Amino acid sequence: MSKKIDLLFEDQMGKQVTISIDHPIEPVDAQLVQSVMETILAEDVFLASGGKLTTIKGARLVQHEVTAIPLGI
């Protein structure tokens, strides 16, 4: 099962922008995640199609599980 952290921001046009990080260290340190997100905003690290990132909207840990379906072929 693969996991990732989605960092959710809003850009200058009010659109949500998601930055995904694969294989996070667990348990996830919420204070560290917030600090990294604040640094991303302060340093203008990324530019989205709607302009600069302006606001932190949240973060989430996402798990993705894939199960093959046996088809008998």
Side-chain angles (χ1 to χ4, degrees), residues 1-66:
M1 180 175 347
S2 64
K3 293 183 181 180
K4 65 180 180 175
I5 292 179
D6 284 347
L7 307 178
L8 309 173
F9 296 91
E10 187 174 288
D11 65 18
Q12 289 175 305
M13 299 202 52
K15 296 179 185 176
Q16 180 170 300
V17 177
T18 303
I19 299 172
S20 297
I21 302 170
D22 293 329
H23 312 293
I25 296 171
E26 293 188 81
V28 175
D29 181 338
Q31 288 179 313
L32 179 58
V33 171
Q34 182 169 348
S35 176
V36 167
M37 294 178 79
E38 289 169 352
T39 300
I40 289 170
L41 287 182
E43 299 293 327
D44 285 331
V45 177
F46 297 100
L47 182 64
S49 60
K52 293 173 28 174
L53 303 181
T54 60
T55 308
I56 294 173
K57 299 302 284 184
R60 59 188 177 206
L61 181 63
V62 178
Q63 298 182 61
H64 183 77
E65 184 174 343
V66 177

Side-chain angles (χ1 to χ4, degrees), residues 66-70:
V66 177
T67 304
I69 300 171

